[in-house]
Amino acid sequence: QVQLVESGGGSAQAGGSLRLSCTASRYVACMGWFRQAPGKEREGVAWILVGSGFTDYSESVKGRFSISRDNTLKKMYLQMNTLKPEDASTFYCAANSGGACSGNPSVYNYWGQGTQVTVSS
């Protein structure tokens, strides 16, 4: 079992920044950030192969968001810059103890409780 604890959500103005954090109870091979707005499907935002540090992003956030992990390999961050009102969502941390790592939520077997991000125009 892996427990994931997120922090760092909140409010920002358009053009502003927020940083999300996720701490895993143990090492997992892949961690990712997803978001889900009311009435919409859960969307992969960014994901990272924790060991190698390889990262990938959805097209909607490339160049604005940055995913990283710390030296313990159990804490992950999502730096969100140049926020837009359409970024407002509940953000979820996810982890996959297997080999798959992508923006597809079905490959992840552990999920955090979610943290709210609001962006005002």
Side-chain angles (χ1 to χ4, degrees):
Q1 279 286 355
V2 178
Q3 284 75 48
L4 301 172
V5 179
E6 300 132 336
S7 61
S11 299
Q13 290 193 328
S17 299
L18 286 172
R19 190 173 85 152
L20 306 181
S21 300
C22 175
T23 302
S25 56
R26 64 169 175 86
Y27 172 85
V28 283
C30 172
M31 296 181 76
W33 287 101
F34 291 76
R35 64 185 179 187
Q36 188 168 20
K40 295 191 175 181
E41 292 188 352
R42 191 163 294 191
E43 172 195 20
V45 174
W47 45 100
I48 183 169
L49 279 170
V50 176
S52 68
F54 173 82
T55 61
D56 204 2
Y57 300 86
S58 69
E59 288 298 322
S60 61
V61 305
K62 272 184 182 176
R64 300 189 298 122
F65 291 10
S66 177
I67 188 172
S68 62
R69 79 317 192 210
D70 74 353
N71 290 337
T72 68
L73 303 185
K74 292 192 291 184
K75 194 162 186 176
M76 175 181 67
Y77 304 96
L78 184 68
Q79 178 66 43
M80 303 186 292
N81 298 327
T82 320
L83 282 162
K84 303 176 180 180
E86 54 264 39
D87 292 320
S89 293
T90 300
F91 280 74
Y92 297 90
C93 171
N96 175 22
S97 53
C101 201
S102 75
N104 183 351
S106 66
V107 309
Y108 293 82
N109 43 4
Y110 303 103
W111 291 87
Q113 77 282 1
T115 185
Q116 189 69 35
V117 170
T118 58
V119 183
S120 56
S121 56

